[in-house]
Amino acid sequence: MKERTRAVYAISVAAEMAEMQIQNLRVYERRGLVDPARTAGGTRLYSVADIERLIRIRDLLADGLNLAGIARVLALEEDVRRLRAANERLRRASGE
């Protein structure tokens, strides 16, 4: 899990991995769709999880969603993950 969230990729590498233009990554950050780590000097660093999110954004754009719609989809997907994890914890605690 830690490897997925460890920020190691510069913006140029992340853009290449996600098959996007660098300026798109900056726009997505400004819109709150992705939140890369920053070095002490302010350089953006992306993790595997960030790149997966960028690919998800790319795919949703290809499906015709705008950035506001993508923000909503990503928020709902995160809610589903959180609720599934909570549900699983409750099942284990109740002995199911």
Side-chain angles (χ1 to χ4, degrees):
M1 180 74 165
K2 284 211 182 243
E3 286 302 311
R4 282 188 72 255
T5 59
R6 188 167 155 236
V8 296
Y9 301 105
I11 193 169
S12 59
V13 175
E16 184 177 332
M17 292 172 75
E19 299 176 357
M20 295 179 166
Q21 299 295 315
I22 290 172
Q23 61 268 27
N24 291 351
L25 275 66
R26 291 184 181 120
V27 168
Y28 303 152
E29 181 182 5
R30 279 195 305 273
R31 295 293 298 265
L33 298 176
V34 66
D35 186 24
R38 297 276 184 153
T39 66
T43 301
R44 293 170 179 88
L45 290 177
Y46 293 82
S47 67
V48 169
D50 292 328
I51 293 165
E52 289 169 352
R53 188 172 179 96
L54 289 168
I55 292 168
R56 181 70 175 130
I57 291 166
R58 182 195 69 203
D59 293 347
L60 290 168
L61 283 166
D63 287 341
L65 275 74
N66 63 21
L67 294 182
I70 290 170
R72 187 69 182 132
V73 167
L74 294 174
L76 289 170
E77 288 175 344
E78 181 56 35
D79 286 347
V80 168
R81 277 190 291 279
R82 184 182 49 76
L83 291 169
R84 283 184 176 157
N87 191 359
E88 182 59 31
R89 284 191 304 275
L90 289 171
R91 286 177 188 257
R92 282 195 304 264
S94 70
E96 284 187 23

